[in-house]
Amino acid sequence: QVQLVESGGGLVQAGGSLRLSCAASGRYAMGWFRQAPGKEREFVAAISWSGGSTYYADTVKGRFTISRDNAKNTVYLQMNSLKPEHTAVYYCAARIIKLPDRDYSNYDYWGQGTQVTVSS
C-alpha cells in the first residue's frame, strides 16, 4: 500500500512563506491539491516522476514552486507571498502513470492533508 505523509502546514501571516513536504513510500508522479471550506478540491501543482515536467494552476504561478528529491521520495511545495485566500487543507497525491496531471480523479493515492491557514 502506498503511503503519503504530508507535513509543513501551519499558521502564517499574509505575505509569509511555508514549505509543504510529502514523503512517499515509492517514486511516483505527484500532485498537490487544496480544499477550502465549502469549496471543491482544486489543483495546485504537479510534477512528473522524473521531476522534468511541472504544472501549476494559474492562480499560483510565480508564487508556488513544486520540486522533488528522488533520493528521499519526497515532494515539496514552496509557497511564497501567501494570501488569506490560500487558506485550505493541502493534499498531496500520487499516480502510477509517470506524467503529472491536473485532474484529481487521475491520482491513485492520497495523503491525509495538512492545514494551511493564512491570517490577514
Side-chain angles (χ1 to χ4, degrees), residues 4-63:
L4 303 175
V5 180
E6 298 115 329
S7 60
L11 173 64
V12 64
Q13 288 188 332
S17 298
L18 283 175
R19 188 177 80 156
L20 305 183
S21 299
C22 177
S25 56
R27 186 171 165 187
Y28 304 93
M30 302 289 290
W32 286 97
F33 295 80
R34 65 187 177 194
Q35 189 165 18
K39 295 188 177 180
E40 294 188 353
R41 190 167 300 191
E42 65 173 353
F43 170 73
V44 177
I47 190 165
S48 63
W49 179 86
S50 67
S53 297
T54 55
Y55 295 164
Y56 293 94
D58 289 342
T59 53
V60 305
K61 278 182 183 177
R63 193 184 301 271

Side-chain angles (χ1 to χ4, degrees), residues 37-120:
K39 295 188 177 180
E40 294 188 353
R41 190 167 300 191
E42 65 173 353
F43 170 73
V44 177
I47 190 165
S48 63
W49 179 86
S50 67
S53 297
T54 55
Y55 295 164
Y56 293 94
D58 289 342
T59 53
V60 305
K61 278 182 183 177
R63 193 184 301 271
F64 291 7
T65 302
I66 189 170
S67 62
R68 67 186 304 150
D69 182 339
N70 286 333
K72 297 180 179 180
N73 288 334
T74 299
V75 173
Y76 305 97
L77 185 68
Q78 178 67 45
M79 305 186 294
N80 298 328
S81 302
L82 284 162
K83 298 180 177 181
E85 51 262 43
H86 295 139
T87 295
V89 177
Y90 283 71
Y91 298 89
C92 72
R95 64 193 306 246
I96 296 171
I97 296 175
K98 294 182 178 180
L99 296 176
D101 199 282
R102 300 173 187 272
D103 187 342
Y104 71 83
S105 67
N106 291 330
Y107 285 80
D108 304 294
Y109 307 102
W110 289 85
Q112 80 286 356
T114 185
Q115 177 70 47
V116 171
T117 303
V118 185
S119 63
S120 57

